[in-house]
């Protein structure tokens, strides 16, 4: 049935700003609609973040979510949909100058006619220019820490101290505010650090030259919270419990009596997604967990046991021999990845055909994947995602169910805790989809897998024993295609070398090697060499990303 849209009445730019503000695309008002994720997205209070390509856009979203307010990021050129759930709009920063010929532009006047608006850095400069202000290259660029000097009291800066530290990152400066705008704050280097309109529009309109979303803006979260609550009127009810309740209700509405099949990996995302779907439809969810022969030690048995304890309907498929046979002789990393991805699809599809009436495919897609696929001028923050499924065939013609599509990784973990999923599973380090196949350099054999599984198990267990596991973003052991001479007792050995890898990171885009204590590394080295026959040398990887990558293949 065709959807009927009503165009909202929008306020155009004034004559002075007309040259700078293109006509915005239509602002859509939706009729009621069912399904995931539409149902809970439009029942929940929402802030919309227009992305102009800033590296900090995701940090804005995280700051809003941390205040228990739901938000979404969309490219600046995407049509803004106005419904009752939308409470306010934030304009992000950008690597562009508002004076560039190809600068990204939106009709700020049309937006503020509908909802309160906050412009951050580029968003503030665009706002000023759109209404006739003057924005030019700074005589002195301002990057890094600055002190905020408040010029007047305002609800946006309520609770913010005089000389509060803020973080600047801009080459342009607002030299003159448009007529009808008021100065709220300055810094030592720039004349306009924060401003607002004096009430001439339907809704409040604010601009910040600094970045309140970053850690170094000490009271930035206070400013964002003031915008969300006092200015936009958000009730801060976006909590894990709220999400679970609304999502389960929406899943029931979307799925009905149909059956859902889902590939599970033992990872956080697929486990939480499956648990939500199970909570909605029970045994009508059919999970498939494939042992591809390159999982961690005892992982297949442990994961199946945990799924059983959670109550999920999961079938474990032991396909190790099939994977080992196809991987034999393969040494190129890409060739190994393709074999594993192809075989997984074949095994999954074979199992799916054994279940009658499957109409939907569950997936653990999370928000960074969505942002990366739709972001403006490339992703705001390039996120390396480790997909446990290398892409399922289009020929299956299944409708997607993606209950985590609008959550960040940390939110997925909080939802998992709300669902009662064991902490040991929720807090596991990321693990590559091809598993140990890309941590064994060269050809894969069952003997090498067993060797690496044992060495890696001892390394990871030691991290837990020394209370270091939670301080590391990802850790793993790499089996090198190198044998070296060693001495054990009175005998010479000629055995393999393993490299220990541990990194600290936020999202995997960049990573630093973890500075693990020497006594810990000495313990792990001795433990592996003394107990894993076939390994006589242990090294520690101290490469950062970039220029290296987290995995070796």
């Amino acid at each position: 049935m065709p959807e009927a849209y009503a165009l909202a009445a929008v306020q155009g730019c004034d004559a002075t700003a007309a040259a700078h503000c293109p006509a915005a695309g239509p602002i859509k008002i939706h009729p009621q609609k069912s399904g995931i994720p539409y149902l809970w997205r439009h029942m929940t209070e929402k802030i919309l973040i227009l992305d102009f390509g800033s590296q900090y856009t995701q940090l804005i979203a995280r700051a809003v979510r941390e205040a228990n307010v739901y938000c979404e990021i969309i490219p600046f050129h995407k049509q803004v949909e106005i419904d009752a759930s939308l409470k306010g709009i934030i304009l992000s920063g950008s690597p562009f100058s508002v004076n560039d010929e190809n600068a990204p532009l939106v009709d700020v006047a049309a937006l503020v006619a509908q909802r309160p608006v906050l412009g951050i850095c580029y968003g503030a400069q665009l706002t000023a220019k759109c209404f006739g202000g003057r924005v030019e290259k700074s005589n002195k660029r301002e990057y890094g820490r600055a002190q905020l000097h408040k010029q007047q009291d305002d609800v946006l800066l309520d609770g913010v101290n005089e000389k509060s530290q803020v973080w600047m990152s801009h080459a342009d400066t607002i030299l003159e505010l448009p007529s009808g705008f008021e100065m709220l704050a300055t810094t030592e280097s720039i004349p306009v650090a924060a401003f607002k309109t004096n009430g001439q529009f339907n809704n409040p309109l604010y601009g910040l030259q600094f970045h309140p979303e970053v850690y170094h803006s000490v009271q930035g979260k206070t400013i964002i919270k003031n915008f969300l609550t006092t200015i936009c009127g958000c009730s801060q009810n976006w909590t894990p419990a709220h999400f679970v309740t609304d999502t389960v209700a929406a899943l029931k509405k979307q799925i009905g009596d149909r059956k859902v099949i889902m590939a599970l990996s033992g990872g956080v995302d697929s486990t939480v997604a499956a648990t939500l779907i199970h909570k909605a439809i029970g045994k009508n969810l059919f999970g498939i967990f494939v042992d591809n022969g390159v999982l961690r030690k005892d992982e297949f048995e442990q994961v199946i046991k945990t799924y059983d304890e959670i109550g999920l309907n999961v079938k474990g498929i032991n396909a190790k021999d099939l994977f080992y046979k196809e991987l034999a002789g393969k040494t190129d990393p890409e060739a190994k990845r393709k074999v594993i991805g192809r075989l997984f699809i074949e095994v999954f599809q074979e199992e799916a055909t054994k279940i009658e009436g499957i109409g939907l495919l569950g997936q653990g897609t999370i928000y960074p994947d969505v942002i990366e696929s739709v972001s403006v001028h490339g992703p705001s923050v390039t996120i390396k995602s480790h997909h446990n499924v290398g892409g399922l065939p289009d020929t299956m013609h299944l409708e997607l169910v993606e209950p985590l599509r609008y959550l960040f990784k940390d939110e997925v973990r909080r939802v998992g805790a709300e669902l009662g999923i064991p902490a040991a599973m929720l807090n596991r380090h990321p693990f590559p989809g091809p598993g140990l196949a890309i941590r064994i350099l060269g050809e894969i054999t069952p003997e090498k897998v067993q060797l690496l599984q044992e060495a890696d198990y001892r390394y990871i267990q030691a991290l837990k024993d020394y209370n270091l596991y939670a301080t590391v973003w990802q850790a793993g052991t790499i089996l090198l295609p190198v044998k070296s001479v060693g001495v054990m007792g009175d005998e010479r050995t000629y055995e393999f070398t393993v490299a220990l890898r541990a990194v600290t990171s936020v999202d995997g885009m960049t990573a630093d090697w973890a500075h693990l204590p020497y006594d810990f590394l000495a313990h792990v080295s001795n433990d592996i060499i003394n107990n894993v026959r076939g390994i006589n040398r242990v090294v520690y990887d101290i490469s950062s990303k970039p220029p290296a990558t987290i995995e070796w293949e």
Side-chain angles (χ1 to χ4, degrees):
M1 181 175 171
E3 293 177 353
Y5 295 113
L7 292 183
V10 297
Q11 174 181 336
C13 293
D14 59 25
T16 308
H20 307 294
C21 289
I27 298 177
K28 297 180 178 178
I29 299 177
H30 280 287
Q32 187 174 0
K33 184 177 178 181
S34 63
I36 275 286
Y38 189 94
L39 181 63
W40 61 255
R41 284 174 61 208
H42 292 262
M43 289 170 54
T44 302
E45 293 178 342
K46 177 174 63 183
I47 294 292
L48 207 57
I49 301 169
L50 301 193
D51 181 18
F52 294 91
S54 170
Q55 61 180 319
Y56 298 137
T57 302
Q58 285 200 40
L59 294 182
I60 300 174
R62 287 179 178 273
V64 174
R65 298 277 184 94
E66 286 172 12
N68 293 331
V69 175
Y70 177 71
C71 66
E72 291 179 19
I73 299 172
I74 65 170
F76 74 94
H77 51 72
K78 186 176 179 180
Q79 290 179 319
V80 176
E81 299 176 0
I82 302 293
D83 60 31
S85 68
L86 184 61
K87 307 293 286 186
I89 299 169
I90 297 177
L91 311 178
S92 83
S94 175
F96 289 88
S97 164
V98 293
N99 296 315
D100 288 345
E101 184 178 350
N102 60 340
L105 303 173
V106 296
D107 188 342
V108 181
L111 298 176
V112 76
Q114 298 296 318
R115 295 293 186 271
V117 174
L118 171 65
I120 294 176
C121 197
Y122 178 92
Q125 295 167 358
L126 177 62
T127 297
K129 183 171 182 177
C130 185
F131 293 101
R134 186 159 65 96
V135 181
E136 295 182 3
K137 287 288 183 187
S138 306
N139 294 327
K140 178 183 178 182
R141 293 186 177 188
E142 192 170 40
Y143 293 97
R145 296 172 178 83
Q147 290 185 331
L148 202 63
H149 298 289
K150 295 165 69 173
Q151 301 300 300
Q152 62 170 297
D153 291 331
D154 186 83
V155 292
L156 183 69
L157 302 180
D158 187 33
V160 177
N161 299 331
E162 173 65 15
K163 296 186 178 180
S164 181
Q165 177 181 291
V166 294
W167 185 261
M168 297 286 185
S169 180
H170 60 98
D172 288 351
T173 293
I174 301 170
L175 297 179
E176 293 179 9
L177 285 174
S179 174
F181 283 62
E182 300 178 6
M183 180 87 66
L184 295 181
T186 64
T187 70
E188 298 88 344
S189 303
I190 61 171
V192 180
F195 63 85
K196 71 171 183 177
T197 58
N198 59 14
Q200 68 267 43
F201 301 111
N202 291 358
N203 295 288
L205 174 60
Y206 285 88
L208 301 173
Q209 181 59 80
F210 57 91
H211 288 273
E213 69 274 18
V214 304
Y215 172 79
H216 297 294
S217 289
V218 176
Q219 295 178 299
K221 301 290 178 67
T222 299
I223 297 172
I224 290 174
K225 183 179 178 181
N226 289 339
F227 177 72
L228 299 174
T229 57
T230 307
I231 296 168
C232 295
C234 295
S235 58
Q236 297 181 279
N237 61 359
W238 176 250
T239 63
H242 183 198
F243 174 84
V244 169
T245 301
D246 287 352
T247 300
V248 169
L251 285 168
K252 288 179 179 179
K253 191 174 182 66
Q254 179 193 11
I255 299 169
D257 296 328
R258 292 181 292 173
K259 295 177 182 178
V260 178
I261 193 169
M262 186 169 184
L264 299 175
S265 67
V268 176
D269 302 335
S270 65
T271 300
V272 175
T275 305
L276 280 166
I277 297 172
H278 171 78
K279 196 172 179 66
I281 64 172
K283 293 298 183 179
N284 274 352
L285 170 66
F286 295 82
I288 305 294
F289 180 38
V290 178
D291 186 350
N292 57 15
V294 286
L295 301 176
R296 288 165 283 200
K297 181 182 177 181
D298 299 329
E299 183 171 21
F300 182 70
E301 295 77 13
Q302 290 171 356
V303 169
I304 289 293
K305 180 182 177 183
T306 301
Y307 283 152
D308 184 60
E309 292 171 351
I310 295 173
L312 297 182
N313 177 25
V314 179
K315 182 178 181 180
I317 307 297
N318 185 341
K320 289 191 289 189
D321 292 342
L322 172 63
F323 280 81
Y324 289 150
K325 179 181 178 181
E326 292 285 333
L327 285 168
K330 302 288 191 303
T331 59
D332 178 71
E334 189 60 25
K336 291 190 287 187
R337 287 177 182 271
K338 286 181 177 178
V339 165
I340 291 171
R342 174 177 58 80
L343 289 179
F344 178 86
I345 291 172
E346 291 175 2
V347 172
F348 181 85
Q349 192 164 17
E350 180 182 351
E351 292 301 321
T353 58
K354 298 176 183 178
I355 307 170
E356 294 184 1
I358 294 293
L360 300 100
L361 174 67
Q363 288 191 344
T365 308
I366 63 175
Y367 201 31
D369 302 323
V370 179
I371 297 170
E372 183 174 2
S373 67
V374 300
S375 190
V376 52
H377 303 298
S380 303
V381 178
T382 303
I383 296 176
K384 181 179 180 181
S385 302
H386 296 282
H387 297 289
N388 292 293
V389 182
L392 295 174
D394 293 335
T395 54
M396 295 182 72
H397 299 298
L398 299 177
E399 179 184 336
L400 285 180
V401 182
E402 298 175 310
L404 306 179
R405 185 176 175 83
Y406 290 90
L407 294 191
F408 289 106
K409 190 80 167 187
D410 53 338
E411 293 175 313
V412 173
R413 288 194 169 98
R414 291 199 292 271
V415 168
E418 179 70 25
L419 291 166
I421 297 173
M425 180 168 278
L426 291 179
N427 298 322
R428 295 172 72 191
H429 290 174
F431 189 61
L436 298 181
I438 59 171
R439 292 182 180 176
I440 296 174
L441 306 194
E443 185 180 4
I444 308 298
T445 66
E447 294 75 23
K448 286 182 179 179
V449 171
Q450 187 175 5
L451 201 66
L452 181 56
Q453 283 177 333
E454 187 61 36
D456 187 66
Y457 169 78
R458 292 180 177 276
Y459 176 35
I460 299 301
Q461 188 59 49
L463 284 168
K464 295 176 180 177
D465 292 343
Y466 277 69
N467 295 319
L468 293 170
Y469 187 81
T471 69
V472 173
W473 191 77
Q474 184 174 340
T477 310
I478 297 91
L479 182 66
L480 305 184
V482 174
K483 286 188 174 182
S484 63
V485 174
V487 178
M488 289 187 178
D490 295 327
E491 298 182 1
R492 289 168 63 84
T493 60
Y494 190 63
E495 297 177 339
F496 282 103
T497 299
V498 294
L500 307 180
R501 183 73 159 135
V503 297
T504 57
S505 181
V506 174
D507 54 25
M509 176 189 172
T510 61
D512 192 15
W513 60 277
H515 294 232
L516 299 177
Y518 290 156
D519 61 337
F520 167 79
L521 293 173
H523 164 77
V524 174
S525 177
N526 288 336
D527 188 39
I528 291 175
I529 291 172
N530 290 336
N531 292 285
V532 185
R533 185 178 296 275
I535 296 173
N536 68 356
R537 194 175 298 269
V538 176
V539 299
Y540 186 57
D541 183 349
I542 59 170
S543 307
S544 296
K545 177 187 178 181
T549 55
I550 296 176
E551 300 293 343
W552 280 43
E553 287 193 343

